Amino acid sequence: MVKLKNEYSHLFQIYDGVKQGGILTLFLFNYFMNDLLNECMQVNVGAKLGSLNVSIIAYCDDLKLISPSIRDLNILLKICGDYGNFWKFEFNI
């Protein structure tokens, strides 16, 4: 259920995902997203600072894709889309 001020919603079941604000939520998110970050880094496209690949940056629950070309950005977007489809989640823009 959800509490807003002093009122509670009806009970509902959650079948996947992690609890918002839960103690383990950030650790589980980071563990889960690590494979996506690795996939984006391994294709070796997108933005670079010298030899450092900075095409995907993650902080807490935010991701940023960076690319100097539309072609490379589309590759990164496809990787993220495929990853989301496989794990049954959607990205918010």
Coordinates of all heavy atoms in Angstrom, one line a residue:
M1 N 0.8 -1.2 0.0 CA 0.0 0.0 0.0 C 0.9 1.2 0.0 O 2.1 1.2 0.3 CB -1.0 0.0 1.2 CG -0.4 0.4 2.5 SD -1.6 0.5 3.9 CE -2.2 -1.1 3.9
V2 N 0.3 2.4 -0.3 CA 1.0 3.6 -0.3 C 0.4 4.5 0.7 O -0.9 4.6 0.8 CB 0.9 4.3 -1.8 CG1 1.6 5.6 -1.8 CG2 1.6 3.4 -2.8
K3 N 1.2 5.3 1.4 CA 0.7 6.2 2.4 C 1.0 7.6 1.9 O 2.1 8.0 1.5 CB 1.4 6.0 3.7 CG 0.9 7.0 4.8 CD 1.6 6.8 6.1 CE 1.1 7.9 7.1 NZ 1.9 7.8 8.3
L4 N 0.0 8.5 1.8 CA 0.1 9.9 1.4 C -0.5 10.7 2.5 O -1.7 10.6 2.8 CB -0.5 10.2 0.1 CG -0.5 11.6 -0.4 CD1 1.0 12.0 -0.6 CD2 -1.2 11.7 -1.7
K5 N 0.3 11.5 3.2 CA -0.1 12.2 4.5 C -0.6 11.2 5.4 O 0.1 10.3 5.9 CB -1.1 13.3 4.1 CG -0.4 14.4 3.2 CD -1.3 15.5 3.0 CE -0.6 16.5 2.1 NZ -1.4 17.7 1.8
N6 N -1.9 11.2 5.8 CA -2.4 10.2 6.8 C -3.4 9.2 6.1 O -4.1 8.5 6.8 CB -3.1 10.9 7.9 CG -2.1 11.6 8.8 OD1 -1.0 11.2 9.0 ND2 -2.5 12.8 9.4
E7 N -3.4 9.1 4.8 CA -4.3 8.2 4.1 C -3.5 7.1 3.4 O -2.4 7.3 2.9 CB -5.2 9.0 3.1 CG -6.1 10.0 3.8 CD -7.2 10.5 2.9 OE1 -7.6 9.7 2.0 OE2 -7.6 11.6 3.0
Y8 N -4.1 5.9 3.5 CA -3.5 4.7 2.9 C -4.3 4.3 1.6 O -5.5 4.4 1.6 CB -3.5 3.6 3.9 CG -2.5 3.8 5.0 CD1 -3.0 4.5 6.2 CD2 -1.2 3.4 5.0 CE1 -2.1 4.7 7.2 CE2 -0.3 3.6 6.0 CZ -0.8 4.3 7.2 OH 0.0 4.5 8.2
S9 N -3.5 3.8 0.6 CA -4.2 3.3 -0.6 C -4.7 1.9 -0.2 O -4.4 1.3 0.8 CB -3.2 3.3 -1.7 OG -2.2 2.3 -1.5
H10 N -5.3 1.2 -1.2 CA -5.7 -0.2 -1.1 C -4.4 -1.0 -1.2 O -3.4 -0.6 -1.7 CB -6.7 -0.6 -2.1 CG -6.2 -0.5 -3.5 ND1 -6.1 0.8 -4.2 CD2 -5.8 -1.4 -4.4 CE1 -5.6 0.5 -5.4 NE2 -5.4 -0.8 -5.5
L11 N -4.5 -2.2 -0.8 CA -3.3 -3.2 -0.9 C -3.2 -3.6 -2.4 O -4.2 -3.8 -3.1 CB -3.5 -4.4 -0.1 CG -3.4 -4.2 1.5 CD1 -3.8 -5.5 2.2 CD2 -2.0 -3.8 1.8
F12 N -1.9 -3.7 -2.8 CA -1.7 -4.2 -4.2 C -0.4 -5.0 -4.1 O 0.5 -4.7 -3.3 CB -1.7 -3.1 -5.2 CG -0.7 -2.0 -4.9 CD1 0.6 -2.1 -5.4 CD2 -1.0 -0.9 -4.1 CE1 1.6 -1.1 -5.1 CE2 -0.1 0.1 -3.9 CZ 1.2 0.0 -4.4
Q13 N -0.2 -5.9 -5.0 CA 1.0 -6.7 -5.1 C 2.0 -6.2 -6.1 O 1.6 -5.6 -7.1 CB 0.6 -8.2 -5.5 CG -0.2 -8.9 -4.5 CD 0.3 -10.3 -4.2 OE1 0.6 -11.0 -5.1 NE2 0.4 -10.6 -3.0
I14 N 3.3 -6.3 -5.7 CA 4.3 -6.0 -6.6 C 5.0 -7.3 -7.0 O 5.4 -8.0 -6.2 CB 5.3 -5.0 -6.0 CG1 4.6 -3.7 -5.6 CG2 6.5 -4.7 -6.9 CD1 5.4 -2.7 -4.8
Y15 N 5.1 -7.5 -8.3 CA 5.7 -8.8 -8.8 C 7.1 -8.7 -9.2 O 7.8 -9.7 -9.4 CB 4.8 -9.3 -10.0 CG 3.4 -9.6 -9.5 CD1 2.4 -8.7 -9.8 CD2 3.1 -10.7 -8.8 CE1 1.1 -8.9 -9.4 CE2 1.8 -11.0 -8.4 CZ 0.8 -10.1 -8.7 OH -0.5 -10.4 -8.3
D16 N 7.6 -7.5 -9.4 CA 9.1 -7.4 -9.8 C 9.5 -6.0 -9.4 O 8.7 -5.1 -9.0 CB 9.3 -7.7 -11.2 CG 8.4 -7.0 -12.2 OD1 7.8 -5.9 -11.8 OD2 8.2 -7.4 -13.3
G17 N 10.8 -5.8 -9.5 CA 11.4 -4.5 -9.1 C 11.9 -4.5 -7.7 O 11.9 -5.5 -7.1
V18 N 12.3 -3.3 -7.2 CA 12.8 -3.2 -5.9 C 12.0 -2.2 -5.1 O 11.4 -1.3 -5.7 CB 14.3 -2.9 -5.8 CG1 15.1 -4.0 -6.4 CG2 14.6 -1.6 -6.6
K19 N 12.0 -2.3 -3.8 CA 11.2 -1.4 -3.0 C 11.8 0.0 -3.1 O 13.0 0.2 -2.8 CB 11.2 -1.9 -1.6 CG 10.5 -1.0 -0.6 CD 10.6 -1.5 0.8 CE 10.0 -0.6 1.8 NZ 10.2 -1.0 3.2
Q20 N 11.0 1.0 -3.3 CA 11.5 2.4 -3.4 C 11.9 2.8 -2.0 O 11.1 2.7 -1.0 CB 10.3 3.3 -3.9 CG 10.8 4.7 -4.2 CD 11.6 4.9 -5.4 OE1 11.6 4.0 -6.3 NE2 12.3 5.9 -5.6
G21 N 13.1 3.3 -1.8 CA 13.6 3.7 -0.5 C 14.1 2.6 0.4 O 14.5 2.9 1.5
G22 N 14.1 1.4 -0.1 CA 14.6 0.3 0.7 C 16.1 0.4 0.9 O 16.9 0.9 0.0
I23 N 16.6 -0.2 1.9 CA 18.0 -0.2 2.3 C 18.9 -0.8 1.2 O 19.9 -0.3 0.8 CB 18.3 -0.9 3.6 CG1 17.6 -0.1 4.7 CG2 19.7 -1.1 3.9 CD1 17.6 -0.8 6.1
L24 N 18.4 -1.9 0.6 CA 19.2 -2.6 -0.4 C 19.0 -2.1 -1.8 O 19.7 -2.5 -2.8 CB 18.9 -4.1 -0.4 CG 19.4 -4.8 0.9 CD1 19.0 -6.3 0.8 CD2 20.9 -4.7 1.0
T25 N 18.0 -1.2 -2.0 CA 17.6 -0.8 -3.4 C 18.8 -0.3 -4.2 O 19.0 -0.7 -5.3 CB 16.5 0.3 -3.3 OG1 15.4 -0.3 -2.6 CG2 16.1 0.7 -4.7
L26 N 19.6 0.6 -3.7 CA 20.7 1.2 -4.5 C 21.7 0.1 -4.8 O 22.3 0.1 -5.9 CB 21.4 2.3 -3.7 CG 20.5 3.6 -3.6 CD1 21.2 4.6 -2.7 CD2 20.1 4.2 -4.9
F27 N 22.0 -0.8 -3.9 CA 23.0 -1.8 -4.2 C 22.5 -2.8 -5.2 O 23.2 -3.2 -6.1 CB 23.3 -2.6 -2.9 CG 24.0 -1.8 -1.8 CD1 23.3 -1.4 -0.7 CD2 25.3 -1.4 -2.0 CE1 23.8 -0.6 0.3 CE2 25.9 -0.6 -1.0 CZ 25.2 -0.2 0.1
L28 N 21.2 -3.1 -5.1 CA 20.6 -4.0 -6.1 C 20.6 -3.4 -7.5 O 20.9 -4.0 -8.5 CB 19.2 -4.5 -5.7 CG 19.1 -5.4 -4.5 CD1 17.7 -5.5 -4.0 CD2 19.8 -6.7 -4.8
F29 N 20.2 -2.1 -7.5 CA 20.2 -1.3 -8.8 C 21.6 -1.3 -9.4 O 21.7 -1.6 -10.6 CB 19.7 0.1 -8.6 CG 19.7 0.9 -9.8 CD1 18.6 0.8 -10.7 CD2 20.7 1.8 -10.1 CE1 18.6 1.6 -11.9 CE2 20.7 2.5 -11.3 CZ 19.7 2.4 -12.2
N30 N 22.6 -1.0 -8.6 CA 24.0 -0.9 -9.2 C 24.4 -2.3 -9.7 O 25.0 -2.4 -10.7 CB 24.9 -0.4 -8.1 CG 24.7 1.1 -7.8 OD1 24.2 1.8 -8.7 ND2 25.1 1.5 -6.7
Y31 N 24.1 -3.3 -8.9 CA 24.5 -4.7 -9.3 C 23.8 -5.0 -10.7 O 24.4 -5.6 -11.6 CB 24.1 -5.7 -8.2 CG 24.5 -7.1 -8.6 CD1 25.8 -7.6 -8.5 CD2 23.5 -8.0 -9.1 CE1 26.1 -8.9 -8.8 CE2 23.8 -9.3 -9.4 CZ 25.1 -9.7 -9.3 OH 25.4 -11.0 -9.6
F32 N 22.5 -4.7 -10.8 CA 21.7 -5.0 -11.9 C 22.2 -4.2 -13.2 O 22.3 -4.7 -14.3 CB 20.3 -4.7 -11.6 CG 19.3 -4.9 -12.7 CD1 19.0 -6.2 -13.1 CD2 18.8 -3.9 -13.4 CE1 18.1 -6.4 -14.1 CE2 17.9 -4.1 -14.5 CZ 17.6 -5.4 -14.8
M33 N 22.5 -2.9 -13.0 CA 22.9 -2.1 -14.1 C 24.3 -2.3 -14.6 O 24.7 -1.8 -15.6 CB 22.7 -0.6 -13.7 CG 21.2 -0.3 -13.5 SD 20.1 -0.8 -14.8 CE 20.5 0.5 -16.0
N34 N 25.1 -2.9 -13.8 CA 26.5 -3.1 -14.1 C 26.7 -3.8 -15.5 O 27.6 -3.4 -16.3 CB 27.2 -4.0 -13.0 CG 28.7 -3.9 -13.2 OD1 29.3 -2.9 -13.2 ND2 29.3 -5.1 -13.3
D35 N 25.9 -4.8 -15.8 CA 26.0 -5.5 -17.1 C 25.7 -4.5 -18.3 O 26.3 -4.6 -19.3 CB 25.1 -6.7 -17.2 CG 25.6 -7.8 -16.3 OD1 26.8 -7.9 -16.0 OD2 24.8 -8.7 -16.0
L36 N 24.7 -3.6 -18.1 CA 24.4 -2.7 -19.1 C 25.5 -1.7 -19.3 O 25.9 -1.4 -20.5 CB 23.1 -1.9 -18.7 CG 22.8 -0.7 -19.7 CD1 22.5 -1.3 -21.1 CD2 21.6 0.0 -19.2
L37 N 26.1 -1.2 -18.3 CA 27.3 -0.3 -18.4 C 28.4 -1.0 -19.1 O 29.0 -0.4 -20.0 CB 27.7 0.1 -17.0 CG 26.7 0.9 -16.2 CD1 27.3 1.2 -14.8 CD2 26.3 2.2 -16.9
N38 N 28.7 -2.3 -18.8 CA 29.7 -3.0 -19.5 C 29.4 -3.2 -20.9 O 30.3 -3.1 -21.8 CB 30.0 -4.4 -18.8 CG 30.7 -4.2 -17.5 OD1 31.4 -3.3 -17.3 ND2 30.5 -5.2 -16.6
E39 N 28.2 -3.5 -21.3 CA 27.8 -3.7 -22.7 C 28.1 -2.4 -23.5 O 28.6 -2.5 -24.6 CB 26.4 -4.1 -22.8 CG 26.1 -5.6 -22.7 CD 24.7 -5.9 -23.0 OE1 24.2 -5.6 -24.1 OE2 24.0 -6.5 -22.1
C40 N 27.7 -1.3 -22.9 CA 27.8 0.0 -23.6 C 29.3 0.3 -23.8 O 29.7 0.9 -24.8 CB 27.1 1.1 -22.9 SG 25.3 1.0 -23.1
M41 N 30.1 0.0 -22.8 CA 31.5 0.3 -22.9 C 32.3 -0.6 -23.9 O 33.2 -0.2 -24.6 CB 32.2 0.1 -21.5 CG 31.6 1.0 -20.4 SD 31.9 2.8 -20.7 CE 33.6 2.9 -20.1
Q42 N 31.8 -1.9 -24.0 CA 32.5 -2.9 -24.8 C 32.4 -2.6 -26.3 O 33.2 -3.0 -27.1 CB 32.0 -4.3 -24.5 CG 32.5 -4.8 -23.2 CD 31.9 -6.1 -22.8 OE1 31.1 -6.6 -23.4 NE2 32.4 -6.7 -21.6
V43 N 31.3 -1.9 -26.7 CA 31.1 -1.6 -28.1 C 32.1 -0.5 -28.6 O 32.3 -0.3 -29.8 CB 29.7 -1.3 -28.5 CG1 28.8 -2.5 -28.4 CG2 29.2 -0.1 -27.8
N44 N 32.6 0.2 -27.6 CA 33.7 1.2 -27.9 C 33.3 2.3 -28.9 O 34.0 2.6 -29.8 CB 35.0 0.5 -28.3 CG 36.2 1.4 -28.0 OD1 36.2 2.2 -27.1 ND2 37.2 1.3 -28.8
V45 N 32.0 2.8 -28.7 CA 31.5 3.9 -29.5 C 31.1 5.0 -28.5 O 31.1 4.8 -27.3 CB 30.3 3.5 -30.4 CG1 30.7 2.4 -31.4 CG2 29.1 3.1 -29.5
G46 N 30.8 6.2 -29.0 CA 30.4 7.3 -28.2 C 31.5 8.2 -27.8 O 32.6 8.2 -28.5
A47 N 31.3 8.9 -26.8 CA 32.3 10.0 -26.4 C 33.5 9.4 -25.7 O 33.4 8.4 -24.9 CB 31.6 10.9 -25.4
K48 N 34.6 10.0 -26.0 CA 35.9 9.6 -25.3 C 36.6 10.9 -24.8 O 36.6 11.9 -25.5 CB 36.7 8.9 -26.3 CG 36.1 7.7 -26.9 CD 37.1 6.6 -27.1 CE 36.5 5.3 -27.6 NZ 35.4 5.3 -28.6
L49 N 37.3 10.7 -23.7 CA 38.2 11.7 -23.2 C 39.6 11.1 -23.3 O 39.9 10.3 -22.4 CB 37.9 12.2 -21.8 CG 36.7 13.0 -21.6 CD1 36.4 13.2 -20.1 CD2 36.8 14.4 -22.3
G50 N 40.4 11.4 -24.3 CA 41.6 10.7 -24.5 C 41.3 9.2 -24.8 O 40.5 9.0 -25.7
S51 N 41.8 8.3 -24.0 CA 41.5 6.9 -24.2 C 40.4 6.4 -23.3 O 40.0 5.2 -23.4 CB 42.7 6.1 -24.0 OG 43.2 6.2 -22.7
L52 N 39.8 7.3 -22.5 CA 38.7 6.9 -21.6 C 37.4 7.0 -22.2 O 37.0 8.1 -22.8 CB 38.8 7.9 -20.4 CG 37.8 7.6 -19.3 CD1 38.0 6.3 -18.6 CD2 37.9 8.7 -18.2
N53 N 36.6 5.9 -22.2 CA 35.3 5.9 -22.8 C 34.3 6.5 -21.8 O 34.2 6.0 -20.7 CB 34.9 4.5 -23.2 CG 33.6 4.4 -23.9 OD1 32.7 5.2 -23.7 ND2 33.4 3.3 -24.7
V54 N 33.7 7.6 -22.2 CA 32.7 8.2 -21.3 C 31.3 8.3 -22.0 O 30.5 9.2 -21.8 CB 33.1 9.6 -20.8 CG1 34.3 9.6 -19.9 CG2 33.4 10.5 -22.0
S55 N 31.0 7.2 -22.8 CA 29.8 7.2 -23.5 C 28.5 6.9 -22.7 O 27.4 7.2 -23.1 CB 29.9 6.2 -24.6 OG 30.1 4.9 -24.1
I56 N 28.7 6.3 -21.5 CA 27.6 6.1 -20.6 C 28.1 6.5 -19.2 O 29.1 6.0 -18.7 CB 27.0 4.7 -20.7 CG1 25.8 4.5 -19.8 CG2 28.1 3.6 -20.4 CD1 25.0 3.3 -20.0
I57 N 27.3 7.3 -18.5 CA 27.6 7.7 -17.2 C 26.4 7.4 -16.3 O 25.3 7.7 -16.7 CB 27.9 9.2 -17.1 CG1 29.2 9.5 -18.0 CG2 28.1 9.7 -15.7 CD1 29.5 11.0 -18.1
A58 N 26.7 6.8 -15.2 CA 25.6 6.4 -14.3 C 25.8 7.0 -12.9 O 27.0 7.0 -12.4 CB 25.5 4.9 -14.1
Y59 N 24.8 7.5 -12.3 CA 24.9 8.1 -11.0 C 23.5 7.8 -10.3 O 22.5 8.2 -10.8 CB 25.2 9.6 -11.0 CG 25.3 10.2 -9.6 CD1 26.4 10.0 -8.8 CD2 24.2 10.9 -9.1 CE1 26.5 10.5 -7.6 CE2 24.3 11.5 -7.8 CZ 25.5 11.2 -7.1 OH 25.5 11.7 -5.8
C60 N 23.6 7.1 -9.2 CA 22.3 6.7 -8.5 C 21.5 5.9 -9.5 O 21.9 4.9 -10.0 CB 21.6 7.8 -7.8 SG 22.6 8.6 -6.5
D61 N 20.3 6.5 -9.8 CA 19.4 5.8 -10.7 C 19.3 6.5 -12.0 O 18.3 6.4 -12.8 CB 18.0 5.5 -10.1 CG 17.3 6.8 -9.7 OD1 17.9 7.8 -9.8 OD2 16.1 6.7 -9.4
D62 N 20.3 7.4 -12.3 CA 20.3 8.1 -13.6 C 21.4 7.6 -14.5 O 22.5 7.3 -14.1 CB 20.5 9.6 -13.3 CG 19.4 10.3 -12.5 OD1 18.2 9.9 -12.8 OD2 19.7 11.1 -11.6
L63 N 21.0 7.6 -15.8 CA 22.0 7.2 -16.8 C 22.1 8.3 -17.8 O 21.0 8.9 -18.2 CB 21.6 5.9 -17.6 CG 21.5 4.6 -16.8 CD1 21.0 3.5 -17.6 CD2 22.9 4.3 -16.3
K64 N 23.3 8.6 -18.4 CA 23.4 9.6 -19.4 C 24.2 8.9 -20.5 O 25.3 8.4 -20.3 CB 24.1 10.8 -18.9 CG 24.3 11.9 -19.9 CD 24.9 13.1 -19.4 CE 23.8 13.8 -18.6 NZ 24.1 15.2 -18.3
L65 N 23.7 9.0 -21.7 CA 24.4 8.5 -22.9 C 25.0 9.7 -23.6 O 24.3 10.7 -23.9 CB 23.5 7.8 -23.9 CG 22.8 6.5 -23.3 CD1 21.8 6.0 -24.3 CD2 23.8 5.5 -22.9
I66 N 26.3 9.6 -24.0 CA 27.0 10.8 -24.6 C 27.7 10.3 -25.9 O 28.4 9.3 -25.8 CB 28.0 11.4 -23.7 CG1 27.4 11.8 -22.3 CG2 28.7 12.6 -24.3 CD1 28.4 12.1 -21.3
S67 N 27.5 11.0 -27.0 CA 28.1 10.6 -28.2 C 28.2 11.8 -29.1 O 27.3 12.6 -29.2 CB 27.3 9.5 -28.9 OG 27.8 9.3 -30.2
P68 N 29.3 12.0 -29.9 CA 29.4 13.1 -30.8 C 28.7 12.8 -32.1 O 28.6 13.6 -33.0 CB 31.0 13.2 -31.0 CG 31.5 11.8 -30.7 CD 30.6 11.2 -29.7
S69 N 28.3 11.5 -32.3 CA 27.6 11.2 -33.6 C 26.2 10.5 -33.3 O 26.1 9.8 -32.3 CB 28.4 10.3 -34.4 OG 28.4 9.0 -34.0
I70 N 25.3 10.8 -34.2 CA 24.0 10.2 -34.1 C 24.1 8.7 -34.2 O 23.4 7.9 -33.6 CB 23.0 10.8 -35.1 CG1 22.7 12.2 -34.7 CG2 21.7 10.0 -35.2 CD1 21.9 13.0 -35.7
R71 N 24.9 8.2 -35.2 CA 25.1 6.8 -35.4 C 25.5 6.1 -34.1 O 24.9 5.1 -33.7 CB 26.2 6.6 -36.5 CG 26.5 5.1 -36.8 CD 27.8 5.0 -37.6 NE 28.3 3.7 -37.5 CZ 29.1 3.2 -36.5 NH1 29.5 4.0 -35.5 NH2 29.6 2.0 -36.5
D72 N 26.5 6.6 -33.4 CA 27.0 5.9 -32.2 C 25.9 6.0 -31.1 O 25.7 5.1 -30.3 CB 28.3 6.5 -31.7 CG 29.5 6.2 -32.6 OD1 29.3 5.4 -33.5 OD2 30.6 6.7 -32.3
L73 N 25.2 7.1 -31.0 CA 24.2 7.3 -30.0 C 23.1 6.3 -30.3 O 22.5 5.7 -29.3 CB 23.6 8.7 -30.0 CG 22.6 9.0 -28.9 CD1 23.2 8.8 -27.5 CD2 22.1 10.4 -29.1
N74 N 22.7 6.0 -31.5 CA 21.7 5.0 -31.8 C 22.1 3.6 -31.4 O 21.3 2.8 -31.0 CB 21.3 5.1 -33.3 CG 20.4 6.2 -33.6 OD1 19.6 6.6 -32.8 ND2 20.5 6.8 -34.8
I75 N 23.4 3.3 -31.6 CA 24.0 2.0 -31.1 C 23.8 1.9 -29.6 O 23.3 0.9 -29.1 CB 25.4 1.9 -31.5 CG1 25.6 1.7 -33.0 CG2 26.1 0.7 -30.8 CD1 27.0 1.9 -33.6
L76 N 24.1 2.9 -28.9 CA 24.0 2.9 -27.4 C 22.5 2.8 -27.0 O 22.2 2.1 -26.1 CB 24.6 4.1 -26.8 CG 26.1 4.2 -27.0 CD1 26.6 5.6 -26.6 CD2 26.8 3.2 -26.2
L77 N 21.6 3.5 -27.7 CA 20.2 3.5 -27.4 C 19.6 2.1 -27.6 O 18.8 1.6 -26.9 CB 19.4 4.5 -28.2 CG 19.6 6.0 -27.7 CD1 19.0 6.9 -28.8 CD2 18.9 6.2 -26.4
K78 N 20.1 1.4 -28.7 CA 19.6 0.1 -29.0 C 20.1 -0.9 -27.9 O 19.3 -1.8 -27.5 CB 20.1 -0.4 -30.4 CG 19.7 -1.8 -30.7 CD 19.7 -2.1 -32.1 CE 19.3 -3.5 -32.5 NZ 18.6 -4.3 -31.5
I79 N 21.3 -0.8 -27.5 CA 21.8 -1.6 -26.4 C 20.9 -1.4 -25.1 O 20.5 -2.4 -24.5 CB 23.3 -1.3 -26.1 CG1 24.2 -1.8 -27.2 CG2 23.7 -2.0 -24.8 CD1 25.6 -1.3 -27.1
C80 N 20.6 -0.2 -24.8 CA 19.8 0.1 -23.6 C 18.4 -0.4 -23.8 O 17.8 -1.0 -22.9 CB 19.8 1.6 -23.3 SG 21.4 2.2 -22.7
G81 N 17.8 -0.2 -25.0 CA 16.5 -0.7 -25.3 C 16.4 -2.2 -25.2 O 15.5 -2.8 -24.6
D82 N 17.4 -2.9 -25.8 CA 17.4 -4.4 -25.8 C 17.5 -4.9 -24.3 O 16.9 -5.9 -23.9 CB 18.5 -4.9 -26.6 CG 18.3 -4.7 -28.1 OD1 17.2 -4.4 -28.5 OD2 19.3 -4.9 -28.9
Y83 N 18.4 -4.2 -23.6 CA 18.6 -4.6 -22.2 C 17.3 -4.4 -21.4 O 16.9 -5.3 -20.6 CB 19.7 -3.8 -21.6 CG 20.2 -4.2 -20.2 CD1 21.2 -5.2 -20.2 CD2 19.8 -3.7 -19.0 CE1 21.7 -5.7 -19.0 CE2 20.3 -4.1 -17.8 CZ 21.2 -5.1 -17.8 OH 21.7 -5.6 -16.6
G84 N 16.6 -3.3 -21.6 CA 15.3 -3.1 -20.9 C 14.3 -4.1 -21.3 O 13.5 -4.6 -20.5
N85 N 14.2 -4.4 -22.6 CA 13.2 -5.4 -23.1 C 13.5 -6.8 -22.5 O 12.6 -7.5 -22.1 CB 13.3 -5.5 -24.6 CG 12.6 -4.3 -25.3 OD1 11.8 -3.6 -24.7 ND2 13.0 -4.1 -26.5
F86 N 14.8 -7.2 -22.4 CA 15.2 -8.5 -21.8 C 14.8 -8.6 -20.4 O 14.2 -9.6 -19.9 CB 16.7 -8.7 -22.0 CG 17.1 -10.0 -21.5 CD1 16.9 -11.2 -22.3 CD2 17.7 -10.2 -20.2 CE1 17.3 -12.4 -21.8 CE2 18.1 -11.4 -19.8 CZ 17.9 -12.5 -20.5
W87 N 15.0 -7.5 -19.6 CA 14.8 -7.5 -18.2 C 13.4 -6.9 -17.8 O 13.1 -6.8 -16.6 CB 15.9 -6.8 -17.4 CG 17.2 -7.5 -17.4 CD1 18.3 -7.2 -18.2 CD2 17.4 -8.7 -16.7 NE1 19.2 -8.2 -17.9 CE2 18.8 -9.1 -17.1 CE3 16.7 -9.5 -15.9 CZ2 19.4 -10.2 -16.6 CZ3 17.3 -10.7 -15.3 CH2 18.6 -11.0 -15.7
K88 N 12.6 -6.6 -18.8 CA 11.2 -6.1 -18.6 C 11.1 -4.8 -17.8 O 10.4 -4.8 -16.8 CB 10.4 -7.2 -18.0 CG 10.3 -8.5 -18.9 CD 9.4 -9.5 -18.3 CE 9.2 -10.7 -19.2 NZ 10.1 -11.8 -19.1
F89 N 11.9 -3.8 -18.2 CA 11.7 -2.5 -17.6 C 11.8 -1.5 -18.7 O 12.3 -1.7 -19.8 CB 12.7 -2.3 -16.5 CG 14.1 -2.1 -16.9 CD1 14.6 -0.8 -17.3 CD2 15.0 -3.2 -16.9 CE1 15.9 -0.7 -17.6 CE2 16.3 -3.0 -17.3 CZ 16.8 -1.7 -17.6
E90 N 11.4 -0.3 -18.4 CA 11.4 0.8 -19.3 C 12.2 2.0 -18.7 O 12.3 2.2 -17.5 CB 10.0 1.4 -19.6 CG 9.1 0.4 -20.3 CD 7.7 0.9 -20.5 OE1 7.5 2.1 -20.3 OE2 6.8 0.1 -20.9
F91 N 12.9 2.7 -19.6 CA 13.6 3.9 -19.2 C 12.7 5.1 -19.3 O 11.9 5.2 -20.3 CB 14.8 4.1 -20.1 CG 15.9 3.1 -20.0 CD1 15.9 2.0 -20.9 CD2 16.9 3.2 -19.0 CE1 16.9 1.1 -20.7 CE2 17.9 2.3 -18.9 CZ 17.9 1.2 -19.7
N92 N 12.8 6.0 -18.4 CA 12.1 7.3 -18.5 C 13.1 8.3 -19.1 O 14.3 8.3 -18.8 CB 11.7 7.8 -17.1 CG 10.6 7.0 -16.5 OD1 9.7 6.5 -17.2 ND2 10.6 6.9 -15.2
I93 N 12.6 9.1 -20.0 CA 13.4 10.1 -20.7 C 13.8 11.2 -19.7 O 13.0 11.7 -19.0 CB 12.8 10.6 -21.9 CG1 12.3 9.5 -22.8 CG2 13.7 11.5 -22.7 CD1 11.5 9.9 -24.0

